[in-house]
């Protein structure tokens, strides 16, 4: 039997080496003209400035929480918490550094056609996916080896969760404030293209793609990856053999993702999405085969081999099905997006109504898929089977995020091509890449939300075991209080984020309008916009607005636990998982549908660009922006932060709760 810790550590190192190799190949590619490099440098500087200022802002909070954990829990958990913070921050930083350098190279590669541009964009995205998986495997395996205990690893998960929360919140507010501001003035009021260099918010918009969709997603999924592994291991805490299996399965999934990434190639038909499916399916098949070989090599199992193998298969099946379902609802090739585009022919109101309805409808199939996986894995292997299915699902994070992080790179590449005035044939290539990028970002959000729900469920089981909570009694007043607060939390959290985007976007809109008024010749293309001003506004407002939602996420479960007891907190965790999962799916799908219905119209359908239908779709897209890229994705982090906070402080809550009711 292969030692799981050695397997995970070896796979982590191999994955980071592969990420370094991909990064080297991306960076050695030609970076285009001086004009292209100048635009790319502005995006790079803006993204770096935001990320550095965000991390500096979080340092005092991290220090305070580390001290509290060290004093209130133990020193080992505090150290692991710090390692989790660093791992999550590093995953986002590495991915973003490559993303802001790959964009200009993809724009240059687009001069040679679709194949070289896609290959380079996917390689850039794969750096993010591989880096987060490699860091996660190394972090979990080294900490477990060092401490010889799983308990401190809860702190590691909490550290990763905290950074992912702020990365999602801060990056999401930044990117959508800039995007909404740029669209409302540029597209709607001035009637200029999306990435027109005359728009003062265009650089801030491109920066936002990187800090939100790249750095934010990397931190988010690294956290899902590690907390799910840790939770599954905690469920099997009393059995050394069962304890190691989730870690080994995660390592096998990452190795499978490396192999699968080699199969992402565009065929002669020039279709991009099938190339990604090829990589995903190959990764899934190799994962299933390698898991079969690993499990069959274990000499003595408390549960049957087939029970464990079925649980692993369930995780892989959920990954593939969520990908397919999300694509159906958000791709321009299918009925949902086209029906919303058609609704825009009668105005923005009908466009918004139909998009919101589809967002709500889109919760049905993912919920049924996850319920099926839970039922079957529980039936064959109990709660451990559910945890193993979740670990299996998240084990494919590397290939899924490689597909996701491709999106912001191609989005930026299109912006650089527009601003640098590259030929129309180049824009056709970058537009084709970007159109698929919108779909891949939407599909991977569905995966991230599903992973958050399954991972949080495993954490909930671990919390119940830690607090010896046998059941949730709905006839108990404290439990009902906790349940309602938990169900409320995603709504108030989302409200805070959307209002923050609205306030930040207002400042951007006013600044863009001012520049069009005061800078002579700007609209005619003779004056030069002050891009740095919009970048600075987005940065300041995002960092100012992230404190309150973060505090609500961390303090609410502690307050409920201390005031009403561990059973009430159990009710809160149940409420936040179910409510957060449904709301996140609704918001991310609706936002993606509005976005791609606008793209479908821009392809020449229902009147094309500049038509009244297009203007109505732009309004829908503007409404959807903070839903799909700020509030919706941030709910993933909220669900897991609430669960990890509860787990970290579980022992204290058992001893110190006031139980005032």
């Amino acid at each position: 039997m292969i030692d799981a810790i050695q397997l995970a550590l070896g796979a982590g190192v191999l994955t980071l080496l592969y990420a370094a190799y991909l990064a080297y190949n991306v960076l050695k590619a030609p970076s285009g003209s001086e004009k292209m490099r100048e635009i790319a440098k502005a995006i790079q500087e803006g993204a770096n400035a935001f990320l550095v200022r965000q991390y500096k802002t979080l340092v005092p909070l991290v220090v305070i929480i580390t001290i509290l954990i060290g004093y209130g829990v133990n020193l080992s958990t505090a150290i692991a918490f710090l390692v989790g913070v660093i791992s999550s921050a590093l995953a986002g930083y590495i991915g973003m550094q490559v993303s802001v350098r790959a964009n200009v190279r993809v724009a240059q590669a687009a001069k040679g056609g679709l194949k070289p541009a896609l290959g380079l964009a996917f390689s850039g995205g794969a750096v993010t996916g591989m880096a987060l998986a490699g860091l996660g495997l190394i972090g979990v395996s080294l900490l477990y080896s060092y401490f010889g205990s799983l308990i401190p690893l809860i702190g590691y998960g909490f550290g990763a969760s905290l950074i992912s929360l702020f990365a999602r919140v801060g990056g999401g507010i930044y990117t959508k404030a800039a995007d909404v501001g740029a669209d409302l003035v540029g597209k709607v009021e001035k009637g200029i293209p999306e990435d027109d260099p005359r728009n003062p918010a265009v650089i801030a918009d491109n920066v936002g793609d990187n800090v939100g969709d790249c750095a934010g997603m990397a931190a988010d999924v690294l956290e899902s990856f590690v907390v799910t592994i840790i939770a599954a291991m905690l469920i099997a805490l009393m059995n050394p053999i069962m304890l190691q299996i989730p870690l080994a399965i995660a390592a096998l999934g990452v190795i499978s993702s490396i192999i699968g990434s080699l199969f992402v190639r565009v065929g002669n038909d020039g279709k991009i999405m099938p190339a990604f499916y090829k990589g995903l399916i190959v990764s899934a098949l190799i994962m299933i085969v390698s898991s079969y070989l690993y499990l069959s090599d274990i000499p003595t199992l408390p549960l049957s081999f087939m029970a464990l193998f079925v649980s692993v298969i369930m995780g892989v099946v959920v990954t593939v099905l969520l990908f397919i379902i999300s694509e159906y609802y958000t791709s321009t090739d299918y009925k949902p997006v086209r029906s919303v585009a058609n609704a825009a022919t009668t105005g923005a109101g009908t466009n918004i109504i139909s998009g919101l309805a589809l967002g709500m409808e889109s919760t049905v199939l993912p919920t049924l898929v996850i319920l099926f996986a839970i039922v079957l894995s529980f039936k064959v292997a109990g709660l451990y089977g559910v945890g193993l299915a979740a670990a299996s699902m998240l084990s494919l994070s590397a290939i899924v995020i490689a597909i996701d992080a491709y999106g912001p790179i191609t989005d930026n590449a299109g912006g650089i091509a527009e601003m640098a005035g590259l030929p129309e044939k180049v824009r056709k290539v970058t537009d084709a890449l970007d159109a698929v990028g919108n779909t891949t970002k939407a599909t991977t959000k569905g995966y991230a939300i599903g992973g958050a729900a399954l991972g949080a469920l495993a954490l909930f089981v671990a919390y119940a075991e830690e607090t010896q909570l046998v059941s949730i009694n709905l006839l108990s007043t404290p439990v009902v209080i906790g349940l309602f607060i938990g169900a409320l939390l995603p709504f108030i959290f989302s409200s805070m984020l959307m209002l923050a985007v609205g306030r930040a976007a207002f400042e951007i809109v006013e600044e863009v309008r001012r520049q069009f008024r005061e800078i002579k010749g700007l609209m005619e293309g003779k004056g030069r916009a002050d891009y740095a001003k919009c970048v600075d506004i987005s940065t300041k407002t995002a960092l100012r607005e992230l404190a309150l939602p973060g505090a609500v996420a961390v303090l609410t479960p502690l307050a409920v636990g201390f005031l009403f007891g561990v059973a009430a907190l159990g009710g809160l965790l149940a409420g936040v998982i179910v409510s957060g999962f449904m709301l996140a799916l609704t918001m991310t799908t609706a936002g993606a549908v509005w976005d791609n219905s606008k793209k479908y119209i821009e392809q020449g359908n229902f009147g094309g660009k500049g038509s009244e239908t297009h203007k109505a779709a732009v309004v829908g897209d503007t409404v959807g922006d903070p839903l799909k890229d700020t509030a919706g994705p941030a709910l993933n982090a909220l669900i897991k932060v609430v669960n990890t906070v509860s787990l970290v402080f579980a022992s204290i809550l058992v001893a110190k709760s006031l139980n005032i009711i």
Side-chain angles (χ1 to χ4, degrees):
M1 175 183 170
I2 302 172
D3 183 79
I5 297 173
Q6 292 179 4
L7 176 62
L9 187 58
V13 172
L14 174 66
T15 309
L16 287 185
L17 289 174
Y18 181 56
Y21 167 75
L22 291 172
Y24 171 76
N25 282 341
V26 169
L27 296 178
K28 74 176 184 180
S31 56
S33 65
E34 180 63 33
K35 177 68 172 175
M36 293 167 67
R37 290 195 294 273
E38 180 185 330
I39 296 166
K41 186 179 179 183
I43 296 170
Q44 184 179 328
E45 288 175 350
N48 282 332
F50 172 77
L51 211 59
V52 169
R53 285 170 66 175
Q54 184 183 48
Y55 290 164
K56 284 182 177 178
T57 303
L58 295 177
V59 166
L61 177 64
V62 169
V63 170
I64 291 169
I65 293 177
T66 303
I67 293 170
L68 288 174
I69 294 174
Y71 177 76
V73 184
N74 57 59
L75 184 59
S76 298
T77 305
I79 293 170
F81 168 78
L82 269 181
V83 176
V85 166
I86 294 168
S87 296
S88 188
L90 192 57
Y93 185 78
I94 290 171
M96 197 195 73
Q97 291 304 317
V98 175
S99 178
V100 295
R101 289 167 172 80
N103 51 17
V104 67
R105 290 166 170 83
V106 172
Q108 176 65 19
K111 294 178 180 179
L114 185 65
K115 285 188 178 182
L118 173 65
L120 200 60
F122 178 72
S123 292
V127 174
T128 303
M130 300 302 160
L132 75 87
L135 287 169
L137 285 176
I138 291 172
V140 173
S141 55
L142 282 182
L143 286 172
Y144 182 61
S145 295
Y146 179 75
F147 291 117
S149 168
L150 261 183
I151 303 305
L153 267 69
I154 300 170
Y156 180 69
F158 179 37
S161 297
L162 191 70
I163 291 301
S164 83
L165 176 71
F166 285 111
R168 273 304 197 187
V169 170
I173 293 171
Y174 184 112
T175 183
K176 290 304 107 178
D179 195 1
V180 170
D183 282 357
L184 285 179
V185 182
K187 285 185 180 179
V188 178
E189 294 182 9
K190 298 296 182 181
I192 59 178
E194 183 168 354
D195 294 305
D196 197 295
R198 292 172 291 179
N199 193 326
V202 70
I203 294 293
D205 186 10
N206 281 280
V207 169
D209 292 331
N210 295 287
V211 300
D213 289 330
C214 187
M217 177 63 92
D220 181 7
V221 176
L222 177 134
E223 175 248 353
S224 290
F225 180 70
V226 298
V227 300
T228 304
I229 296 169
I230 293 166
M233 292 171 75
L234 281 167
I235 295 171
L237 188 58
M238 304 308 294
N239 189 301
I241 294 176
M242 303 289 280
L243 184 147
Q244 290 195 26
I245 291 175
L247 186 56
I249 293 299
L252 293 174
V254 173
I255 294 170
S256 302
S257 295
I258 293 176
I259 299 170
S261 70
L262 303 176
F263 287 82
V264 177
R265 297 288 183 271
V266 176
N268 294 328
D269 57 4
K271 292 184 178 180
I272 301 171
M273 206 63 189
F276 291 137
Y277 271 113
K278 201 184 303 177
L280 181 65
I281 296 299
V282 169
S283 300
L285 292 175
I286 294 173
M287 167 65 182
I288 291 172
V289 172
S290 59
S291 298
Y292 178 90
L293 295 174
Y294 172 78
L295 292 171
S296 62
D297 190 46
I298 300 175
T300 54
L301 283 171
L303 294 170
S304 73
F305 157 78
M306 190 52 66
L308 298 178
F309 186 53
V310 167
S311 297
V312 170
I313 290 175
M314 282 297 96
V316 176
V317 168
V318 168
T319 297
V320 175
L321 288 180
L322 287 182
F323 209 89
I324 293 170
I325 292 166
S326 297
E327 188 202 358
Y328 170 73
Y329 273 102
T330 59
S331 172
T332 56
D333 293 334
Y334 300 109
K335 182 181 176 181
V337 165
R338 295 185 178 190
S339 67
V340 174
N342 183 48
T345 58
T346 52
T350 47
N351 175 258
I352 291 171
I353 291 168
S354 59
L356 187 58
L358 277 171
M360 294 176 179
E361 178 192 303
S362 72
T363 61
V364 176
L365 290 178
T367 301
L368 292 177
V369 166
I370 287 178
L371 287 178
F372 175 73
I374 290 172
V375 168
L376 191 55
S377 56
F378 180 80
K379 189 173 180 62
V380 298
L383 291 172
Y384 181 77
V386 177
L388 189 59
S392 171
M393 178 184 177
L394 271 298
S395 73
L396 294 173
S397 294
I399 184 69
V400 173
I401 299 309
I403 295 170
D404 173 84
Y406 146 96
I409 292 173
T410 56
D411 196 343
N412 271 202
I416 291 170
E418 177 79 33
M419 287 183 276
L422 298 186
E424 184 63 26
K425 68 172 187 176
V426 175
R427 278 312 313 253
K428 284 184 179 179
V429 172
T430 57
D431 283 349
L433 293 170
D434 185 29
V436 175
N438 280 330
T439 300
T440 61
K441 286 187 287 185
T443 54
T444 47
K445 283 187 178 78
Y447 167 82
I449 293 164
L454 267 180
L457 188 60
L459 285 169
F460 179 70
V461 172
Y463 168 81
E465 290 189 352
E466 180 71 16
T467 58
Q468 298 182 339
L469 187 64
V470 178
S471 63
I472 299 292
N473 181 8
L474 291 179
L475 297 177
S476 165
T477 300
V479 170
V480 172
I481 290 171
L483 190 66
F484 271 87
I485 293 174
L488 169 68
L489 198 53
F491 287 89
I492 193 66
F493 184 79
S494 299
S495 171
M496 289 177 183
L497 297 189
M498 293 180 70
L499 288 172
V501 169
R503 287 189 291 268
F506 178 83
E507 293 186 39
I508 294 290
V509 167
E510 290 299 300
E511 174 59 24
V512 173
R513 285 172 174 167
R514 181 195 67 79
Q515 290 197 34
F516 273 116
R517 279 196 316 268
E518 298 179 7
I519 298 177
K520 293 182 179 179
L522 179 58
M523 190 60 190
E524 292 75 28
K526 298 176 182 178
R528 179 177 172 80
D530 183 2
Y531 303 123
K533 183 66 175 175
C534 289
V535 170
D536 187 58
I537 290 172
S538 290
T539 301
K540 286 180 177 177
T541 51
L543 294 178
R544 184 180 69 228
E545 298 283 0
L546 63 77
L548 183 58
V552 167
V554 173
L555 296 178
T556 301
L558 293 178
V560 170
F562 279 118
L563 292 175
F564 303 111
V566 293
L569 183 52
L572 181 145
L573 298 181
V576 79
I577 292 170
V578 175
S579 170
F581 172 64
M582 299 296 178
L583 187 59
L585 276 176
T586 298
M587 292 195 292
T588 54
T589 304
V593 167
W594 282 317
D595 189 356
N596 274 356
S597 67
K598 177 200 68 177
K599 287 282 192 297
Y600 184 67
I601 292 166
E602 289 174 347
Q603 292 168 7
N605 301 291
F606 302 116
K609 287 185 179 181
S611 64
E612 291 302 314
T613 302
H614 182 234
K615 290 179 181 178
V618 169
V619 174
D621 179 37
T622 303
V623 173
D625 273 339
L627 294 178
K628 71 179 174 67
D629 289 327
T630 307
L635 288 178
N636 304 343
L638 172 73
I639 292 169
K640 290 169 291 185
V641 163
V642 169
N643 277 272
T644 51
V645 167
S646 303
L647 195 52
V648 167
F649 292 97
S651 59
I652 299 175
L653 293 173
V654 169
K656 304 288 186 181
S657 292
L658 298 177
N659 295 300
I660 62 174
I661 290 182

